[in-house]
Amino acid sequence: MSSEENRKEKIYEFLKKKQEYFQYILLAVILWFGYKVRTANLPLLVDKITGKYIMADPDATAFLRYAQYVAEHGSLMMEDTLRYYPLGYTPVPEFSLLAQIIAKLYAILHTFNSNITLEYTAVIYPAIAFVIGAIFFYLAIREILGTKTAIIATTLLTILPAYLFRTQSGVSDKEALGMVFFFMCCYFM
């Protein structure tokens, strides 16, 4: 046996032994690609006048305002007087969880980097939610259908246009978080 064939045999045996690591490396590449695609629009989400990040969706602006209130006061206001004026709106049942999560994510990220703002956190929250949701999606599909199918399914989920729009930076709505919980439920079942 030639040295080249011997080397190929050793590489093949090494990859066969480390196949479990290879799937996680491949998953990390897929998640990195999905995150980069979802955050590619970040330069477009900077207000030219203030230099702060802005939301790409009008509903996301309301979620940012609620997250700012939670970050300042610790909980959501009982009556939002800026919505449905003059009667107001009670946002607690519908928006409390998302506002709390964005505020907590800001607190965590701000701990590691003091330059991170709440606006930036609200803008990138959907991309972070995508990564967490895709991990649980991969684990659920792997449990049901196997590793190869899980890698292919996660790749397809990463580039699926409807899911891409809902987890794109600046679209900080409830769907990204809802999909994380849905995939978690599927995995833990």
Side-chain angles (χ1 to χ4, degrees):
M1 189 183 309
S2 72
S3 65
E4 187 175 325
E5 290 176 3
N6 191 15
R7 188 174 37 213
K8 286 181 182 177
E9 177 99 15
K10 286 182 180 179
I11 291 172
Y12 178 73
E13 290 298 320
F14 175 78
L15 291 176
K16 195 173 184 181
K17 289 178 187 175
K18 305 295 183 182
Q19 187 175 10
E20 185 174 324
Y21 297 121
F22 184 69
Q23 70 177 322
Y24 294 121
I25 292 170
L26 193 55
L27 178 64
V29 168
I30 293 167
L31 295 177
W32 174 81
F33 173 75
Y35 182 82
K36 290 304 262 181
V37 166
R38 282 159 176 79
T39 57
N41 66 341
L42 280 178
L44 302 173
L45 296 174
V46 177
D47 187 356
K48 300 293 182 195
I49 296 170
T50 63
K52 293 183 178 182
Y53 283 94
I54 57 172
M55 301 292 114
D57 185 19
D59 289 341
T61 306
F63 290 121
L64 172 61
R65 191 167 61 83
Y66 293 146
Q68 287 170 333
Y69 192 88
V70 168
E72 290 174 13
H73 299 96
S75 63
L76 201 55
M77 75 277 284
M78 294 307 293
E79 194 70 32
D80 183 7
T81 55
L82 296 179
R83 196 164 181 183
Y84 301 136
Y85 182 80
L87 301 175
Y89 178 73
T90 306
V92 174
E94 188 175 353
F95 302 121
S96 181
L97 180 63
L98 182 58
Q100 292 280 348
I101 286 180
I102 292 174
K104 298 296 183 204
L105 180 62
Y106 164 69
I108 292 168
L109 295 177
H110 190 73
T111 302
F112 294 110
N113 185 352
S114 61
N115 295 331
I116 290 181
T117 63
L118 183 63
E119 291 84 8
Y120 177 75
T121 305
V123 166
I124 67 163
Y125 137 77
I128 293 171
F130 155 75
V131 171
I132 296 168
I135 290 170
F136 282 105
F137 177 79
Y138 170 79
L139 292 173
I141 299 298
R142 186 183 71 173
E143 192 73 28
I144 298 168
L145 300 172
T147 302
K148 291 178 184 176
T149 307
I151 288 289
I152 293 169
T154 306
T155 303
L156 291 174
L157 180 74
T158 300
I159 59 173
L160 189 69
Y163 192 60
L164 179 64
F165 174 72
R166 284 286 142 204
T167 55
Q168 184 178 5
S169 292
V171 185
S172 302
D173 215 333
K174 298 176 279 190
E175 287 88 358
L177 184 63
M179 293 307 293
V180 170
F181 289 136
F182 176 74
F183 293 144
M184 286 174 72
C185 287
C186 290
Y187 174 65
F188 290 124
M189 291 291 266

